Amino acid sequence: MSKTIPQLIEGQWRQSRSSEFIEVTDPATQEVLALAPKATAEEIETAIASAKAAFLTWREVPVPERARVMLRYQHLLKEHHDELAEILAQETGKIFADAKGDVWRGIEVVEQAANISSLMMGETAENVARDIDTSSWIQPLGVCVGITPFNFPAMIPLWMFPLAIAAGNSFILKPSEQDPLTPNRLAELFIEAGAPKGVLQVLHGAREVVDSLLTHPDVRAVSFVGSVPVGQHVYRTGTAHLKRVQAFAGAKNHMVIMPDANKDQVLSNLVGASCGAAGQRCMAISVAVFVGESKQWIDELRAQMAELKPGYWNDASAAYGPLINQQAKQRVLRLIAEGKAEGAECLLDGSQCQVEGYPNGNWVGPTLFSGVTQKMALYREEIFGPVLVCMQVDTLEEAIELVNASPYGNGTSIFTRSGGAARRYQHEVEVGQVGINVPVPVPLPFFSFTGWKGSFYGDLHAYGKQGVRFFTETKTVTSRWFDEDSVASHNMTIQLK
Ligand code: NAD
């Protein structure tokens, strides 16, 4: 009998009254690990009402005290790091090293949230007019919501609720229905760290729950991470209901390889950045753009990719795990088949991949295409699997043109030994996160995660200063104090010589 997981409502872990449940499966075996409820309308109402009430007291808690909860939380997350990674690995299929990385990148954001005191400081200016001073104050918004995807069930919830709550908000997390066990454990540890009742609520479910949250009058801000169509839906619906929304969406990230680059670095980085985590990363490199003679390296790239073996999460020799579910695998297989039908050359085909001992896993082997054009589905669609497509151009200028024509703008990188080429690329490329000889340029939390174009809908990005601004409002106070003693000086006439 599978375990039905509880929701966190009004500070208590409660079993849902729902009659509808979603199976959470191990992607390597299809074993049902748990059942996640679809929150009922009543549960959603109760969670929002409780979050609204909690906000009124939590916002009055002095900022350093709120920061101390984050310090305790960081400590607990570190203590439970491996335990969290094991839960995460089982429900996502990620190999243990990737699962640990997922948790660790989240812990780094909690460290940033512990620094909230200085991030909540406003600005002041004296004597903006006679006797008048102006200051700005940073204040929390109220009830904020986070909707997260399956591919980083620790890191992405931790991008959201610690910063929002440290800033004085209350928060409702609706994690991916595909891997809700990790977010539940994150929330348990948050309560253990001393978060007061109602400040964090966790509701489970899918589309219906998201739509209820997006349209509820008491929700002030919504942070979303997921696919493009859902991101557009969330942005449109949320803003139409006058919410502040940031929606991080899908991607297609290019790596530009100049002929003067260090070949060994290029190849090893390309292999890891394309197939790591089975390519299920929004910052994965899915397109390699070979400039000029660097195309000679494609054969060697093929040989290195062919060495990669997927496997179960606790197999130390495995390079990556299975895809999250059967539909994801079918989508990747369809795109591989379409690529072949459209005339791309399949240099390495992972569609028949099997892993011994796991006949039911959602495996796809490393796959490499060359001769891909911009018209092909392989190029246009986000594959989200261990598939790398190679394109060839003659000059850096053509490479920039190609990357800038893409509707996506999450991440990109250039590998070169030329400062001039790197400088030109970073300046001209229309992508929000650029790596120079760094394949996956995800900024640490004291910066912000800054996807552009079709990879992001909104204004303020995730974490860092922008994350704090997203979850807060700025208030300016302009004040004049009357002081009888200073009247004489105010009436003083300035003698200009
Ligand atoms: P998804 O869009 O299917 O789901 C994301 C969230 O939206 C989940 O919580 C899900 O329950 C909810 N949802 C799904 N369908 C919905 C609908 N019709 N209406 C309302 N809510 C709905 O995404 P996923 O498959 O879980 O995650 C993978 C996607 O996320 C990829 O496209 C990837 O590129 C993207 N992603 C982007 C970033 C980024 O920072 N840009 C980071 C991680 C993942």
Side-chain angles (χ1 to χ4, degrees), residues 147-152 156 159 174-178 205-208 210-211 214 224-228 230-231 233-234 248-251 281-282 382 384 410 449 455:
I147 299 153
T148 54
F150 81 82
N151 67 330
F152 283 99
I156 294 181
W159 277 8
K174 204 302 286 171
S176 168
E177 65 279 24
Q178 303 190 72
R207 178 183 182 137
E208 300 75 17
V210 172
D211 286 348
L214 282 177
F224 166 89
V225 181
S227 60
V228 167
V230 182
H233 164 71
V234 166
F248 299 85
R281 294 194 289 215
C282 67
E382 182 180 36
F384 230 52
N410 220 31
F449 187 94
S455 297

Side-chain angles (χ1 to χ4, degrees), residues 378-412:
L378 266 184
Y379 180 75
R380 285 183 287 109
E381 288 186 38
E382 182 180 36
I383 304 176
F384 230 52
V387 181
L388 179 64
V389 307
C390 300
M391 301 174 86
Q392 292 159 29
V393 295
D394 293 328
T395 62
L396 175 60
E397 193 169 9
E398 281 175 58
I400 294 173
E401 218 170 275
L402 173 74
V403 178
N404 285 351
S406 166
Y408 298 102
N410 220 31
T412 186

